[in-house]
Amino acid sequence: MSNDASPNHMPPPADAPLLGHINIKLTDNNNELFFKVKPTTPFGKVMETFCKRQGKDLKSVRFLFEGQRIRKEDTCETLDVQDGDAIEVHQEQLGGT
């Protein structure tokens, strides 16, 4: 019997995504942060983490996916976010005439 590893029993590559997780990028045009989330994780957790790491107030920014504003209760499943998609982060603008 040989001690060689069988190709059927090789571990997945280190850069392979975890089953059930989605890699997303959040960008505010100056910075990019990458997150690995479950499809059912509420975006509120991701939004809070992004703001904490960037020193921003959650009330002062808005998050958009394909032009649609993301709510805290939205998930990758509800918005059909796929692995590798980008979320845009913009400064909230109030006022106007």
Side-chain angles (χ1 to χ4, degrees), residues 6-19 23 36 83:
S6 168
N8 295 334
H9 299 290
M10 297 295 291
D15 61 347
L18 296 175
L19 287 178
N23 296 301
K36 188 175 291 192
D83 193 59

Side-chain angles (χ1 to χ4, degrees), residues 28 30-33 49-57:
D28 65 1
N30 295 321
N31 303 296
E32 293 181 340
L33 287 179
T49 302
F50 178 87
C51 289
K52 182 184 265 186
R53 290 184 185 172
Q54 296 300 315
K56 298 179 185 275
D57 181 3

Side-chain angles (χ1 to χ4, degrees), residues 39-92:
T40 57
T41 299
F43 266 107
K45 293 175 99 175
V46 176
M47 296 158 79
E48 289 171 7
T49 302
F50 178 87
C51 289
K52 182 184 265 186
R53 290 184 185 172
Q54 296 300 315
K56 298 179 185 275
D57 181 3
L58 184 59
K59 295 177 185 171
S60 71
V61 294
R62 56 193 164 108
F63 296 80
L64 301 173
F65 176 64
E66 296 181 344
Q68 178 181 348
R69 189 164 188 164
I70 299 174
R71 298 171 301 171
K72 289 182 180 181
E73 61 272 12
D74 286 330
T75 67
C76 289
E77 277 185 342
T78 62
L79 297 177
D80 197 28
V81 174
Q82 302 297 312
D83 193 59
D85 282 346
I87 306 295
E88 297 174 15
V89 183
H90 297 278
Q91 195 69 29
E92 187 70 70

